[in-house]
Amino acid sequence: MRSRTWLRRAGAIACAGAVLAGCGTDSSDGLSVAKSGGDASSASTVDPAALDTGSYPTSPAPEFGRATKDNILDVETQRLAEFVVVPFEVDPNLVTAKMPTMVIRSHENLNSVLSGNAADVAKTHGMLYGYVSTAATSTTAVTDPSRSLVQMVLRFENADDASAAAQEMHTGLTTVDTDGTGVETPETIGILPNTLVSTSEYSYSAGPEVSVNAFTAHNNYLLYTWAKAPADDKEWTAEAVARALDLQGPLIDQFPAQPTLAQNGGEPAELPMIDQDKILLYAIPEGDEQADSGNDMASYGPRGMAHRSINPPLTYRVLTEAGSDHNAVYKTNVYRASDDAGAQMIVEEFGNDLTSQGYVEAPSPQGLPDAVCLSKDTTDGTTDYCLVANGRYVGEAYGTDDKKDVDQKISAQYLILEQADQNAE
């Protein structure tokens, strides 16, 4: 399944985060966007009675209430995403999202990010949770040289544990084990005296490459950056690490983390609301709450959405400019702009982006001419994608080889948004 949010279930590509671009009514190259609301001349021509919504709900979900011990890690890791640097912020050419890009709910998740003893070290030092984001430069062939960056933030109970974990993970990468692993070369980056650095050089199909691992303890957080580039571009890896840390430190300092028992004087702090921004209740829910391993049933800001977008810079810019600070990711996705014009901008910008990638206009669902739908034939099947604006809100639905299902989802989504609070803050 392909969508603007790149990665959702089982490594498939999803479409949330930077919607279709190509929907401007004034552009001969773009798709026409029918507008909901506004004056009589732009009134919607939706026929609610004609909509086929299948078995999907057509009303908002009940409010979610507060997090529980069973789902607080999901809520916290999703909130953390907004305070983790997106790779394109380090280098504007890092625009192709890769795995691992996900919430870190357990030390076991670190096996997808780091080799060696990292997972065991995190467990020993009581890692609480984290978030990791990965991207690379765009290439046309596997053999093309490229740059890549992994940016991860892990939260620990205290600064001592974060510092000890950083040192032990670094040691694990730079110490030769009995199986021959752990052969990174310790190095230093002069402008980063508090960062533990190691490098590795190896041959690849694109030629010789160099990678750098960097661990930095920052209060009770461990900041990790991995950068890879062609061997003759080694200087870039050091510059990328320095830039990432320059951005990440101040950003993570802004994260309003849920207090631990120790931080709250030994008393349990009241758990946060699951849907703090009251937007998730407008998205169509998944039948399986763990369908995306904690990455969905979520509310993300522009940066959080950008991590998993197929065009991170565009997603971040458009959602920021539209004032879409709160965006729901579930079976469908919902964006809430600051005003109706912002919602229209989301549809237009996201649509133009996808049409530039080979998507073509597809029929709107019956009774819903306001919806903008696109499709593209891929090696994984035909990807179908629809957007619809309703006042300040934009609904987004997508799927593979099942246009009827996508039409039903976007139709149900439209009816839900008819009941959304257009004055929400």
Side-chain angles (χ1 to χ4, degrees), residues 17 28 67 95 99 123 133 162 168 197 205 236 250 276 293 341 401:
S28 60
V95 296
M99 281 297 286
K123 181 180 180 180
S133 184
E168 291 178 31
V197 179
S205 57
W236 176 86
Q276 297 183 49
S293 303
D401 290 336

Side-chain angles (χ1 to χ4, degrees), residues 82-390:
E82 194 66 18
F83 300 89
V84 174
V85 169
V86 189
F88 83 84
E89 296 180 286
V90 175
D91 183 329
N93 295 307
L94 296 169
V95 296
T96 302
K98 300 284 188 179
M99 281 297 286
T101 297
M102 61 187 186
V103 298
I104 303 290
R105 298 189 290 182
S106 164
H107 67 279
E108 294 177 349
N109 294 142
L110 291 182
N111 290 321
S112 298
V113 186
L114 286 161
S115 60
N117 65 342
D120 291 337
V121 170
K123 181 180 180 180
T124 298
H125 290 284
M127 185 200 82
L128 300 177
Y129 55 80
Y131 192 88
V132 59
S133 184
T134 304
T137 52
S138 297
T139 59
T140 57
V142 175
T143 55
D144 292 341
S146 66
R147 296 172 174 177
S148 301
L149 188 94
V150 176
Q151 184 65 19
M152 181 170 67
V153 175
L154 301 178
R155 184 187 177 195
F156 288 81
E157 182 79 25
N158 54 59
D160 288 343
D161 278 324
S163 181
Q167 182 62 66
E168 291 178 31
M169 289 182 187
H170 171 71
T171 300
L173 291 179
T174 57
T175 302
V176 178
D177 295 330
T178 55
D179 62 358
T181 61
V183 291
E184 299 279 331
T185 303
E187 291 199 22
T188 59
I189 298 178
I191 60 175
L192 301 174
N194 298 318
T195 297
L196 301 169
V197 179
S198 62
T199 62
S200 179
E201 295 191 22
Y202 45 89
S203 296
Y204 188 58
S205 57
E209 295 182 332
V210 61
S211 66
V212 56
N213 288 280
F215 298 90
T216 305
H218 181 86
N219 300 322
N220 62 324
Y221 295 97
L222 192 165
L223 313 181
Y224 170 75
T225 304
W226 177 87
K228 183 214 73 171
D232 59 2
D233 202 11
K234 183 177 181 179
E235 185 177 351
W236 176 86
T237 62
E239 293 171 348
V241 169
R243 174 64 174 163
L245 289 176
D246 186 50
L247 296 171
Q248 188 61 79
L251 188 58
I252 197 59
D253 288 342
Q254 301 173 45
F255 177 50
Q258 176 71 8
T260 63
L261 282 172
Q263 292 170 340
N264 205 48
E267 295 292 327
E270 185 176 47
L271 294 176
M273 301 297 290
I274 293 175
D275 188 14
Q276 297 183 49
D277 309 309
K278 292 189 177 180
I279 189 167
L280 185 58
L281 76 168
Y282 298 132
I284 293 176
E286 283 282 5
D288 176 6
E289 292 185 355
Q290 294 303 314
D292 199 22
S293 303
N295 289 288
D296 65 357
M297 200 177 104
S299 175
Y300 293 110
R303 183 176 283 107
M305 296 300 287
H307 286 296
R308 288 154 55 90
S309 168
I310 60 173
N311 190 337
L314 182 137
T315 295
Y316 184 76
R317 176 184 63 78
V318 170
L319 296 183
T320 300
E321 291 179 1
S324 194
D325 298 328
H326 311 301
N327 310 281
V329 174
Y330 221 170
K331 194 175 189 70
T332 56
N333 302 304
V334 176
Y335 306 88
R336 181 170 61 212
S338 58
D339 54 28
D340 293 14
Q344 294 298 324
M345 184 181 81
I346 290 172
V347 175
E348 293 170 8
E349 291 266 12
F350 285 175
N352 286 329
D353 185 38
L354 288 190
T355 54
S356 71
Q357 299 180 41
Y359 282 76
V360 297
E361 194 167 359
S364 297
Q366 64 183 40
L368 192 61
D370 286 20
V372 171
C373 294
L374 302 176
S375 70
K376 182 179 181 179
D377 291 332
T378 73
T379 55
D380 297 321
T382 299
T383 299
D384 293 296
Y385 181 96
C386 288
L387 291 166
V388 67
N390 194 318

